[in-house]
Amino acid sequence: MVTSGSLWSPDPPQSRFTRVQRVSCCLCLLFATMLSNAMFYGLADDQPGTTFTFGPFALSPQQIYIGIISNLIVFPANFIVITLFRKSKARKMRPSRLEEALKKMPNRTSASMTDVKPEVASVWSMGGRPNSQAKNRPESSLSQTEFRPQSGMSQTGEKKKKKKKFELPWWCRIVGWIVLWAVTGLSVAFVTFYGIMFQDEKCKKWITSMLVSFFTSIFVTQPVKVFLTAIIFSLIWKNPGEGEDDRPEDEEEPKLEYDEEYLHAGAQTGGFGAARPRKIGYKPPDPEELERARKQRLNEIKMWEIVRELVFYSFFLWILMVISYRSRNPNGYLYKDTLEKMIIKNNQTLQWFTKIHNGQEYWKWARSGMVNAVRASSYYNKDPPLMLRGFIGDKVSRMMGFATMRQLRVEQGLCHPVDVMQTVISECNEAYSLFSESKDSFSPGWKTLGVNETARMEYSYRTASDLNGYPYLGLRELYGGGGYVVELRGSKTTLEQKMIALENEGWIDRYTRAVFVEFTVYNPQVNLFAIATILAEFEPSGGVLTSYRFEPATLLPYMTSVMLFQIVCEVIYLIFTIVFIVKEFRTFLKERTKYFKSFWNLVEISIIAMSVSSVVVYFYRLIVTNSLTNEFKRNHGNEYMKFQYAGYWNEIFSYMIGWLVFFGTLKFLKLLRFNKRMSLLASTLKNGAHSIIHFSVLFSIMFLAFMQLFYLTFKNVSTAFITMVISAESGILMMMGKFDIYGMLMVEPILTQIYVFFFVVTCTFILVNMFLSILNETFASVRVDISKQNNDYEIVSFMVNRFKKWTGLGTVHTTPPTNAAGNKPPTVEEFPDRIDRLLNSISNVYMDDNIGALLESKGESKKMAMKNMMRPTAPSSTRAGPTRVHTH
């Protein structure tokens, strides 16, 4: 607040930055902020899935990007203007305030500092000089007046070396005014233009948003920024004002009159010297103080190492998290669920895909559910789906190429019925394998092809290379990438007729082992591909097993509004990876084979290996996707395309990212190594490693034995034990008490009770309690060992105290001083024990000395001497002799 003085005068006087200049800079900053706010208003409406919500506040990567760009727009102009105002020299120096104050001082023959006006006293305290009347002042009066040396002078009168300040010519101030009003004028003009373009309603919303942002910045953002900036500057520049002159800038030096002279020697250099102190001899430092300072310095070095490592690795992990979560679209599950409800579990179809039990039901699903899914149907009001050629049933996803139905068969005559059954059963067939797959071409009805007959596409085998296909693991077998293909092209009516014709021809028969429905769609609304694989496995026994897989994949990662931000994060991550590789390679050269004995070094190797592999897979997947999208652009989606290969690489990339985030997060435990509890946990696992390994061998044998028992007994009657892997999962759930036992009781009531009883007693009660006993014993021994060691974990409390000292928050807890040996002084809790030890020592020494003296003087035995020593004695004032200490 301006209370007195001119608006053009600086406040404080040492600064050139006047009040008018400050207000003008604030005005320029306000209008520039309004302009940047208007430029990006309405552009931060990001997708809901990519926005992080904190109560009433929301934050998205696009908002962060816009905030950074806005600051880059506003900051340079205001920084240049402020620098021009603050660093420009004055065209004309201001009169010295000391001279002005001395002129106003009344002429008195004797005066002391108590008689001087307040403004003059402040000048004298800055190192001024007395006026011309001071020469006639009594010597006693002068001797009572204390003059402070200027900041440029030391107490010994020696002038400190000062750096020459950087200053600009005086006309730069005029340039600053020109730049200021140019920026302000342009901001006002463009803000007016934006207001006209926004119209009335949007303009009101923009003004409201800007005011809320402005007041939030004043009362929340800017105080936090000033607080953090002050902490950072206090850490970097310990004493920024050291060596600076307190003399006001742009002010003339005080001049001496013809009858005046400086009172003290050295005042010619701008200050008053003081009496030179008497030199004292060298005094060696206290060893305890040196040890305490050395320990504090080591703690400081260790603290800064931890801080640097924590900040560095936190930033790396944040970059990794940004890249990882940007590669996983949050709309993936919703898109998968939509396709599943549209194709697999649609109540408007004649048959659910998961309820298929034979070939007839499969054709019923193909005529209804499949055809309705791969072609856009009519709207709710029976209007035709105009302009939706190539779209699927949801009317927003575009088919990449066309869908296909692919069949895998086995060859005929691979097995023969046993002799007993040959009269009833004339032929049999085997289960599918890659070696028993049929690869011949047939005529309709799977008849042998004639000499001059050409096979139709549905009965002509096509290899995996022709179809760009790769093996696929189903519920029963691993199926190849080739087969007999039916192209699902044409209108919805055409596809229905084709399904009816294939059913009548017997396209699915007893030698059919698998029928795939494969296609890939792209949803531009959420920038997601979906690779669909719908599989029906036909068993030799006549049953049908159904499975499906919809794999949402973000194959075009840069089609977003924060593309630049994502690219910057990826480049930074590559730099981090290179730094880690160089660092670990140097460590390996230093430690050699010992490098692989450290657990954290293995974690570092895993992070580097996963990072390099992820980068390679990422770019290779991008190349494969670009080739497919270029093919789609060339043929406009009217030819065969298959994204199975790109989907496999996307799945591998997802696995690598998952492991990379796992190892990256696990490394955070290393940053907690100075925490006593975390170190206790690590020491417990390390010291009990051998016992845990032995227990693991025993547990694995017992658990595997029970799982084989359950698998062989309940394989044919329960889906929980259909394979060994599923049996192991069911066994773990059984140990946790989350297994449904009633299904097994309905099939095998007696064996189930016996097996489960022995399994629970052996694995849950005996083995698990054995494991807990190992951990308890190891923990107890490690805890005792740590209590005997020196406390190396006080670095955490040291960091907390330093933070409190820097910020002024809370009370700093001081550690008790230590002696040169590093031992702490005794505490109050140890006082009774030390008193007992002192009394015992005094008693032993006293009794040994007096027993020896008595034996020498009287020649008595030791037993008689002890009796004499323990007799009650008279007070020392009435009886001569040594004073006895009686202990009770």
Side-chain angles (χ1 to χ4, degrees):
M1 181 180 295
V2 180
T3 56
S4 62
S6 172
L7 290 174
W8 297 90
S9 61
D11 187 14
Q14 290 85 354
S15 174
R16 301 189 178 104
F17 206 10
T18 63
R19 297 165 184 169
V20 173
Q21 292 171 353
R22 298 183 188 186
V23 174
S24 302
C25 290
C26 292
L27 181 66
C28 178
L29 177 63
L30 175 62
F31 280 108
T33 305
M34 292 175 65
L35 175 59
S36 64
N37 191 287
M39 289 170 60
F40 295 99
Y41 181 71
L43 299 181
D45 298 333
D46 208 340
Q47 301 175 1
T50 59
T51 303
F52 302 96
T53 305
F54 308 94
F57 303 100
L59 182 64
S60 66
Q62 189 173 8
Q63 289 176 342
I64 298 175
Y65 170 74
I66 290 176
I68 295 174
I69 295 300
S70 299
N71 285 327
L72 292 178
I73 292 174
V74 174
F75 176 75
N78 286 273
F79 178 77
I80 291 173
V81 171
I82 293 174
T83 304
L84 290 174
F85 284 152
R86 293 182 69 249
K87 297 297 183 180
S88 297
K89 295 181 181 179
R91 188 171 186 181
K92 184 179 179 181
M93 303 292 284
R94 297 194 302 268
S96 174
R97 291 187 299 146
L98 178 61
E99 296 289 344
E100 297 296 327
L102 292 176
K103 291 178 181 179
K104 297 178 181 179
M105 184 177 177
N107 295 328
R108 297 182 182 179
T109 56
S110 62
S112 63
M113 288 299 293
T114 57
D115 299 329
V116 182
K117 294 182 179 181
E119 62 269 21
V120 181
S122 65
V123 176
W124 279 59
S125 64
M126 294 173 57
R129 59 178 176 80
N131 62 1
S132 59
Q133 301 296 329
K135 300 177 71 174
N136 300 324
R137 189 174 301 170
E139 184 178 357
S140 60
S141 177
L142 289 175
S143 62
Q144 295 174 0
T145 305
E146 295 183 359
F147 296 96
R148 299 180 182 176
Q150 281 187 318
S151 59
M153 299 293 297
S154 63
Q155 292 183 355
T156 59
E158 297 179 357
K159 186 177 180 179
K160 296 182 179 179
K161 295 182 179 180
K162 296 178 293 184
K163 293 182 179 180
K164 186 177 181 181
K165 293 184 178 180
F166 173 75
E167 293 180 335
L168 298 173
W170 64 269
W171 47 266
C172 289
R173 187 169 302 177
I174 302 175
V175 177
W177 282 111
I178 295 174
V179 173
L180 185 145
W181 289 114
V183 173
T184 304
L186 290 175
S187 300
V188 170
F190 279 100
V191 167
T192 305
F193 296 153
Y194 274 109
I196 297 172
M197 184 178 64
F198 285 163
Q199 300 299 326
D200 183 63
E201 186 67 23
K202 190 174 181 180
C203 189
K204 292 179 180 178
K205 294 181 180 179
W206 166 67
I207 292 176
T208 304
S209 175
M210 188 205 64
L211 290 176
V212 172
S213 176
F214 179 74
F215 284 105
T216 303
S217 176
I218 291 177
F219 294 106
V220 179
T221 308
Q222 295 300 332
V224 172
K225 289 169 63 177
V226 171
F227 178 74
L228 295 177
T229 305
I231 293 178
I232 293 173
F233 274 86
S234 65
L235 297 178
I236 299 176
W237 290 282
K238 299 299 182 182
N239 189 6
E242 185 177 356
E244 294 185 358
D245 195 354
D246 294 335
R247 183 178 56 84
E249 296 179 350
D250 305 332
E251 187 173 307
E252 296 178 349
E253 293 285 348
K255 300 178 182 179
L256 293 176
E257 297 294 339
Y258 69 94
D259 59 345
E260 293 179 336
E261 62 181 8
Y262 286 105
L263 183 63
H264 295 278
Q268 296 85 347
T269 58
F272 295 95
R276 179 171 298 179
R278 181 176 60 86
K279 293 184 178 180
I280 58 176
Y282 170 74
K283 181 180 180 181
D286 188 2
E288 295 184 0
E289 293 292 336
L290 283 178
E291 181 64 23
R292 187 158 43 278
R294 177 179 175 275
K295 187 175 183 181
Q296 182 178 359
R297 180 55 183 164
L298 292 176
N299 286 337
E300 289 180 356
I301 295 174
K302 194 178 296 183
M303 179 189 69
W304 285 117
E305 289 179 356
I306 296 174
V307 170
R308 283 194 298 268
E309 185 177 3
L310 183 63
V311 173
F312 181 79
Y313 193 75
S314 298
F315 183 66
F316 164 76
L317 192 60
W318 179 77
I319 293 291
L320 175 60
M321 293 293 183
V322 169
I323 296 175
S324 303
Y325 284 95
R326 288 295 301 176
S327 65
R328 306 297 291 177
N329 197 314
N331 296 306
Y333 173 76
L334 300 177
Y335 192 33
K336 170 186 173 297
D337 187 64
T338 300
L339 295 176
E340 182 178 341
K341 292 178 179 178
M342 181 181 64
I343 303 174
I344 307 299
K345 302 177 181 179
N346 193 343
N347 291 327
Q348 297 180 358
T349 60
L350 301 176
Q351 176 71 44
W352 273 28
F353 179 76
T354 54
K355 302 297 182 180
I356 294 175
H357 299 94
N358 50 50
Q360 294 179 352
E361 293 180 352
Y362 183 86
W363 286 117
K364 187 184 295 185
W365 169 80
R367 292 193 304 269
S368 56
M370 185 191 70
V371 172
N372 293 334
V374 299
R375 287 292 177 268
S377 304
S378 300
Y379 290 96
Y380 65 94
N381 56 359
K382 305 302 181 181
D383 287 346
L386 300 177
M387 306 299 292
L388 291 179
R389 181 176 178 272
F391 285 81
I392 64 174
D394 61 357
K395 299 181 178 60
V396 295
S397 300
R398 179 63 163 83
M399 184 76 72
M400 306 297 291
F402 51 82
T404 59
M405 181 182 289
R406 179 168 58 95
Q407 179 183 161
L408 296 175
R409 301 170 56 83
V410 295
E411 296 181 357
Q412 300 180 13
L414 294 179
C415 72
H416 302 280
V418 295
D419 297 338
V420 180
M421 295 295 178
Q422 283 184 356
T423 57
V424 180
I425 302 173
S426 59
E427 62 176 343
C428 68
N429 49 74
E430 291 184 349
Y432 174 86
S433 69
L434 294 175
F435 303 101
S436 63
E437 181 182 348
S438 176
K439 299 181 181 180
D440 298 330
S441 297
F442 300 89
S443 61
W446 302 109
K447 299 178 182 179
T448 304
L449 193 64
V451 178
N452 297 324
E453 189 178 0
T454 303
R456 285 166 44 187
M457 181 182 297
E458 294 83 359
Y459 298 93
S460 178
Y461 182 83
R462 300 176 66 179
T463 61
S465 59
D466 295 336
L467 299 176
N468 193 23
Y470 296 87
Y472 182 87
L473 181 63
L475 297 177
R476 300 291 294 171
E477 300 292 343
L478 177 66
Y479 300 96
Y484 302 89
V485 178
V486 177
E487 296 181 353
L488 303 179
R489 308 178 71 174
S491 63
K492 182 178 179 181
T493 305
T494 303
L495 292 179
E496 291 176 350
Q497 294 175 356
K498 183 178 288 189
M499 294 299 105
I500 295 174
L502 291 175
E503 182 181 6
N504 295 332
E505 294 175 357
W507 193 69
I508 297 178
D509 61 358
R510 67 175 66 184
Y511 297 100
T512 301
R513 289 296 172 263
V515 177
F516 289 85
V517 176
E518 300 169 313
F519 59 89
T520 302
V521 293
Y522 175 69
N523 191 334
Q525 315 293 334
V526 292
N527 187 30
L528 275 175
F529 288 85
I531 304 167
T533 305
I534 305 172
L535 172 62
E537 300 178 68
F538 292 83
E539 292 292 314
S541 59
V544 180
L545 295 176
T546 59
S547 61
Y548 57 91
R549 179 182 177 88
F550 298 104
E551 183 182 355
T554 307
L555 300 179
L556 300 176
Y558 300 119
M559 304 298 292
T560 58
S561 56
V562 290
M563 178 186 67
L564 181 61
F565 174 74
Q566 185 173 353
I567 293 176
V568 170
C569 290
E570 292 174 355
V571 172
I572 294 175
Y573 184 80
L574 287 176
I575 296 174
F576 270 116
T577 303
I578 296 174
V579 171
F580 285 155
I581 292 175
V582 174
K583 177 183 176 183
E584 295 305 314
F585 183 73
R586 290 180 176 177
T587 307
F588 171 73
L589 293 179
K590 183 179 180 180
E591 299 181 2
R592 297 294 179 179
T593 56
K594 294 181 180 179
Y595 177 83
F596 298 99
K597 296 181 180 180
S598 174
F599 171 76
W600 297 115
N601 291 339
L602 298 179
V603 172
E604 292 285 356
I605 294 176
S606 302
I607 293 175
I608 293 174
M610 288 298 172
S611 299
V612 175
S613 303
S614 300
V615 170
V616 174
V617 172
Y618 178 81
F619 284 105
Y620 184 71
R621 184 195 65 174
L622 195 61
I623 293 172
V624 173
T625 304
N626 288 336
S627 64
L628 291 171
T629 52
N630 291 333
E631 183 70 18
F632 178 84
K633 184 179 179 181
R634 183 188 61 81
N635 57 41
H636 303 286
N638 297 322
E639 297 181 6
Y640 175 78
M641 299 180 64
K642 194 168 185 179
F643 280 71
Q644 183 186 12
Y645 188 60
Y648 281 165
W649 282 111
N650 180 74
E651 187 174 2
I652 293 174
F653 178 73
S654 301
Y655 296 155
M656 290 182 175
I657 287 294
W659 280 106
L660 182 58
V661 174
F662 168 76
F663 286 121
T665 308
L666 185 65
K667 188 183 173 183
F668 245 110
L669 293 176
K670 182 182 179 182
L671 304 179
L672 302 177
R673 62 187 182 275
F674 288 99
N675 183 275
K676 192 170 185 177
R677 292 175 177 84
M678 296 302 299
S679 179
L680 187 64
L681 174 62
S683 300
T684 301
L685 297 177
K686 182 178 179 180
N687 294 329
H690 294 286
S691 300
I692 294 175
I693 291 174
H694 297 160
F695 168 79
S696 300
V697 174
L698 175 62
F699 178 81
S700 300
I701 294 174
M702 296 297 296
F703 185 78
L704 182 62
F706 274 102
M707 288 307 101
Q708 292 182 89
L709 176 64
F710 280 108
Y711 170 70
L712 296 175
T713 304
F714 299 101
K715 174 184 178 181
N716 298 326
V717 296
S718 177
T719 57
F721 302 97
I722 192 171
T723 63
M724 275 299 297
V725 177
I726 297 177
S727 300
E729 295 175 356
S730 302
I732 295 174
L733 292 176
M734 195 181 302
M735 293 179 61
M736 298 171 62
K738 297 181 179 180
F739 184 75
D740 184 13
I741 203 69
Y742 298 103
M744 298 171 59
L745 289 173
M746 295 295 293
V747 179
E748 295 287 348
I750 299 177
L751 289 179
T752 299
Q753 296 181 25
I754 296 174
Y755 291 173
V756 172
F757 173 77
F758 282 107
F759 176 77
V760 170
V761 170
T762 303
C763 294
T764 305
F765 291 163
I766 298 177
L767 295 181
V768 172
N769 284 288
M770 184 186 299
F771 179 69
L772 295 177
S773 300
I774 292 173
L775 291 181
N776 287 333
E777 182 181 0
T778 308
F779 177 78
S781 60
V782 170
R783 187 176 181 181
V784 171
D785 291 341
I786 284 185
S787 64
K788 295 179 181 179
Q789 296 176 1
N790 293 329
N791 187 12
D792 294 332
Y793 313 102
E794 62 184 8
I795 187 67
V796 178
S797 57
F798 178 80
M799 294 172 64
V800 173
N801 288 339
R802 275 306 176 96
F803 179 78
K804 291 180 179 179
K805 182 178 180 180
W806 291 334
T807 58
L809 302 175
T811 305
V812 179
H813 300 285
T814 57
T815 31
T818 57
N819 53 23
N823 301 322
K824 294 184 179 180
T827 59
V828 178
E829 290 78 6
E830 301 176 0
F831 183 73
D833 180 61
R834 290 180 175 267
I835 290 296
D836 293 338
R837 290 165 57 188
L838 175 64
L839 293 177
N840 291 334
S841 300
I842 294 175
S843 177
N844 293 335
V845 171
Y846 173 78
M847 294 180 66
D848 290 342
D849 293 342
N850 285 276
I851 288 173
L854 289 173
L855 289 175
E856 293 177 359
S857 59
K858 299 182 179 180
E860 296 178 357
S861 65
K862 187 174 182 180
K863 184 175 181 180
M864 294 300 297
M866 289 291 295
K867 289 183 179 180
N868 294 332
M869 294 293 298
M870 297 304 296
R871 290 177 185 174
T873 57
S876 57
S877 58
T878 58
R879 185 174 181 267
T883 305
R884 291 181 175 86
V885 178
H886 300 277
T887 59
H888 300 278

